[in-house]
């Protein structure tokens, strides 16, 4: 019986390998990995100051720096254009109350990500939730680059700043770096 089952098993295994991944009940797509966090504290916005971090350290779950992000967060006008330095009349969190505030979040890129240096086919993206927003936002994944350029920007509008939002702006932060092994289809 054992001798007869070996060829059957071999044929079954080959069919399983040839089967489409959609029909395989045991196949799961590769999951994205948490690489690290970069804490972009938003307190300067409550005082009308921009945040421009060219080398924001990204730390893994052990607290080890694994690379850097380029992040800018600034006050902007309704069209998404950053305000000129000194153009804002906000000097304290109380100056935000009951007024419209537009904030621009930019993630330009990343540098010196150790995980990318190990395998060039890997990719990364940045995922975050702005404190006034209910959904997670993310950049597009960038593959085959050890210094990925995300060129991402998103404008957030707060129609009327409440006491709670003013307090949160002084204590909130954003940004998480994630890695992906799923490489986009290459054009042949």
């Amino acid at each position: 019986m054992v001798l007869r089952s070996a060829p059957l098993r071999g044929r079954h295994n080959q069919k399983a390998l040839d089967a489409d991944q959609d029909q395989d009940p045991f196949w799961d797509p590769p999951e994205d990995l948490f690489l690290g966090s970069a804490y972009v504290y938003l307190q300067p916005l409550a005082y009308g100051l921009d945040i421009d971090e060219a080398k924001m350290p990204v730390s893994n779950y052990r607290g080890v720096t694994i690379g850097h992000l380029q992040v800018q967060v600034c006050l902007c006008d309704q069209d998404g254009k950053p305000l000129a330095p000194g153009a804002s009349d906000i000097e304290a969190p109380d100056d935000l109350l009951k007024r419209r505030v537009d904030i621009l979040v930019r993630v330009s890129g990343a540098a010196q990500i150790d995980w990318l240096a190990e395998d060039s086919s890997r990719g990364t993206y940045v995922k975050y939730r702005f404190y006034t927003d209910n959904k997670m936002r993310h950049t597009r994944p960038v593959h085959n680059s050890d210094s990925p350029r995300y060129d991402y920007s998103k404008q957030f509008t707060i129609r009327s700043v409440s006491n709670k939002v003013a307090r949160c702006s002084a204590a909130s932060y954003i940004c998480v770096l994630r890695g992906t092994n799923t490489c986009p289809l290459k054009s042949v």
Side-chain angles (χ1 to χ4, degrees):
M1 182 66 177
V2 172
L3 294 176
R4 294 179 81 190
S5 68
L8 290 174
R9 236 180 305 140
R11 267 188 265 146
H12 174 73
N13 289 343
Q14 186 59 42
K15 283 183 183 178
L17 289 174
D18 294 340
D20 187 27
Q21 293 174 344
D22 294 336
Q23 296 176 0
D24 184 356
F26 300 106
W27 184 83
D28 285 330
E31 293 184 16
D32 294 343
L33 307 168
F34 169 78
L35 295 181
S37 298
Y39 295 99
V40 181
Y41 291 96
L42 304 178
Q43 185 176 17
L45 292 177
Y47 294 91
L49 302 173
D50 295 345
I51 302 164
D52 190 359
E53 295 290 340
K55 292 187 91 176
M56 175 65 64
V58 178
S59 302
N60 67 8
Y61 68 96
R62 293 182 179 164
V64 177
T65 299
I66 59 155
H68 297 89
L69 278 180
Q70 298 158 352
V71 179
Q72 293 114 2
V73 184
C74 62
L75 297 174
C76 64
D77 63 16
Q78 293 179 3
D79 298 326
K81 295 178 185 166
L83 298 178
S88 171
D89 61 345
I90 298 170
E91 294 181 5
D94 290 340
D95 295 341
L96 295 169
L97 294 176
K98 297 186 175 145
R99 62 187 285 188
R100 176 189 170 115
V101 175
D102 293 285
I103 299 170
L104 184 64
V105 175
R106 289 183 178 159
V107 182
S108 303
Q112 302 167 338
I113 306 296
D114 299 338
W115 188 71
L116 294 173
E118 296 170 9
D119 183 352
S120 63
S121 68
R122 293 176 174 169
T124 59
Y125 64 96
V126 176
K127 187 174 185 177
Y128 70 96
R129 188 179 72 80
F130 197 71
Y131 70 99
T132 62
D133 200 8
N134 291 329
K135 65 190 234 182
M136 294 295 286
R137 305 291 178 161
H138 58 84
T139 66
R140 65 183 168 76
V142 177
H143 292 82
N144 302 321
S145 174
D146 57 354
S147 294
R149 298 292 310 158
Y150 304 114
D151 296 324
Y152 170 88
S153 66
K154 172 72 178 147
Q155 179 179 344
F156 295 94
T157 299
I158 305 168
R159 303 233 182 262
S160 179
V161 176
S162 65
N163 283 330
K164 180 181 176 186
V165 171
R167 281 192 314 271
C168 284
S169 68
S172 295
Y173 59 88
I174 58 171
C175 278
V176 172
L177 180 69
R178 302 209 43 105
T180 178
N181 279 324
T182 56
C183 193
L185 296 175
K186 298 176 183 171
S187 56
V188 180

